[in-house]
Amino acid sequence: MASNRSPLLSISGLKFRSDNGFILEIPRLTLCEGRSYAITGANGAGKTTLLRILALLTAPSSGSVYFEGNQVLDPRGTESARRRITLVMQDAYLFRTSVYDNVACGLRLRGISLNEIERKTEAALAAVGLSNFGGRKAQQLSRGETQRAAIARALVLEPRLLLLDEPTASVDSENVGIIEDIIKNTITPEGTAVVFSTHQVDQAYNLSDEVVTLKDGVMLETGPTNLFEGVVVSDGDGTRVRVAPGMYIQVLSDREGTVHLRIPPEDIIISRSPIESSARNSFQGTITSASVEGDRIRLQIDIGQSLVVAITKQSFADMQLTVQDTVFATFKTSSVKVY
């Protein structure tokens, strides 16, 4: 029941202490290829510090960091891994040259042939919607266009791990949508992983496979998420959200219109048959996959939508569950977070 995603970068027992006394602690974090991760938290929570550690630009005070299975805290390991990791900062700096030259500069430094530089640069510009901007001066770009050009400069290097620090902060709504699409489209099933930081909780859960929440340097939450988008329907049955034709999730909320829902995997009860409970949400489904994660078993259940459930190893064994089994997933309305 091993995960079908290969670990790309993993952290264990990491601690970072800055000169001003700030401490960042990450007991364990694994980033897998072909997945997206959001880091959220208030200002000063440690989001940028964690990104710089993931980019191998800031060394932790203690702990281990592995990239593609190799320890990377020694100088030679760090140098090799850095070529496959790129970080785009919130206030990206572009050289005072053309947009094309900015995007192509990393390839030139790596000695890539002119034909390959042209092909890859044009592809990267197209990926961020700047195909016709190559000849422009970088300083003529808007803030949002500058951010997209900086992302193109990172993408052109074909990184295994792309890190984005607050990529949509202080960007107009049109560019926010474009950058969010870039994040979605950059992830590949067997290749690039994307990690981005954001203050916006709904954006974090809408764009990522997993969310890491930091508070004052401490990691509070990480793991696969159950994210649904739907429309609020208020009637005699209370407040429900239609997430698919004929499929409704009961919620406690006074919001209207389109909303996003998050259901923590640990709040969902699995049973072989319907259970008597005050919980108002119960769905029959089929287990499609199971994987061991720490002291828990992560189940993917098809209820018409994909649902992630976390149960203890003991519960999994007691119920003698296996893939393709039919089960019931039950959760309370209070467990459904509405954004």
Side-chain angles (χ1 to χ4, degrees):
M1 291 184 301
S3 172
N4 59 359
R5 298 289 186 179
S6 298
L8 187 61
L9 185 147
S10 60
I11 286 174
S12 178
L14 184 141
K15 179 178 286 189
F16 170 81
R17 184 189 296 272
S18 68
D19 293 337
N20 63 8
F22 173 79
I23 298 176
L24 174 68
E25 293 186 83
I26 307 294
R28 184 179 62 188
L29 178 63
T30 298
L31 307 178
C32 293
E33 59 186 14
R35 293 182 69 80
S36 58
Y37 303 82
I39 302 173
T40 187
N43 284 335
K47 299 189 299 296
T48 300
T49 299
L50 177 55
L51 283 175
R52 289 186 58 85
I53 290 173
L54 295 176
L56 308 181
L57 298 175
T58 295
S61 304
S62 60
S64 61
V65 179
Y66 286 82
F67 182 75
E68 295 180 328
N70 299 311
Q71 172 68 266
V72 292
L73 293 185
D74 63 272
R76 286 185 298 179
T78 299
E79 182 180 353
S80 174
R82 276 180 183 166
R83 294 174 65 87
R84 301 189 295 283
I85 302 173
T86 58
L87 169 63
V88 179
M89 298 301 294
Q90 177 178 340
D91 296 313
Y93 174 80
L94 296 183
F95 303 119
R96 293 183 176 275
T97 58
S98 69
V99 173
Y100 181 96
D101 286 342
N102 267 276
V103 176
C105 66
L107 296 175
R108 290 174 178 148
L109 290 173
R110 295 187 179 189
I112 306 298
S113 70
L114 291 177
N115 286 341
E116 278 294 281
I117 288 175
E118 182 176 357
R119 182 184 66 81
K120 291 184 176 183
T121 300
E122 290 179 352
L125 288 170
V128 300
L130 295 177
S131 291
N132 299 322
F133 285 67
R136 295 193 188 185
K137 293 294 184 182
Q139 275 61 42
Q140 295 175 346
L141 300 181
S142 69
R143 188 183 182 106
E145 291 164 350
T146 296
Q147 192 73 5
R148 286 155 58 192
I151 295 174
R153 186 169 60 186
L155 289 176
V156 79
L157 298 176
E158 299 176 345
R160 296 297 311 282
L161 178 59
L162 174 64
L163 308 169
L164 305 171
D165 187 21
E166 296 280 0
T168 62
S170 304
V171 170
D172 63 89
S173 58
E174 179 182 356
N175 279 288
V176 167
I178 294 172
I179 291 171
E180 288 182 342
D181 285 341
I182 293 168
I183 292 173
K184 293 177 183 178
N185 295 332
T186 297
I187 306 159
T188 57
E190 296 294 335
T192 305
V194 176
V195 183
F196 66 96
S197 62
T198 179
H199 284 90
Q200 302 177 48
V201 175
D202 57 341
Q203 183 185 65
Y205 285 102
N206 190 35
L207 292 181
S208 69
D209 296 307
E210 299 188 27
V211 175
V212 177
T213 301
L214 299 178
K215 182 178 181 181
D216 299 327
V218 177
M219 188 170 72
L220 300 182
E221 177 183 340
T222 182
T225 58
N226 292 308
L227 307 172
F228 301 95
E229 181 178 352
V231 178
V232 175
V233 177
S234 296
D235 51 29
D237 291 328
T239 303
R240 303 180 296 164
V241 176
R242 186 174 64 248
V243 297
M247 182 176 178
Y248 296 83
I249 294 177
Q250 296 276 355
V251 301
L252 295 174
S253 175
D254 56 3
R255 288 176 175 262
E256 298 179 350
T258 300
V259 296
H260 292 96
L261 308 181
R262 176 173 69 89
I263 308 165
E266 294 77 10
D267 287 0
I268 301 172
I269 299 172
I270 294 298
S271 59
R272 286 282 193 178
S273 58
I275 60 174
E276 292 187 8
S277 167
S278 61
R280 301 194 64 189
N281 293 293
S282 186
F283 300 91
Q284 184 175 349
T286 302
I287 299 175
T288 58
S289 70
S291 61
V292 178
E293 294 192 7
D295 61 349
R296 290 180 175 269
I297 304 293
R298 295 275 180 180
L299 304 177
Q300 289 276 354
I301 300 177
D302 182 2
I303 60 170
Q305 298 278 316
S306 181
L307 192 69
V308 179
V309 180
I311 64 174
T312 64
K313 291 180 179 178
Q314 188 62 52
S315 294
F316 185 82
D318 289 346
M319 286 189 283
Q320 298 182 327
L321 296 174
T322 188
V323 173
Q324 296 303 314
D325 279 356
T326 297
V327 294
F328 289 82
T330 304
F331 51 93
K332 297 180 178 180
T333 53
S334 58
S335 292
V336 185
K337 316 304 178 184
V338 184
Y339 302 98

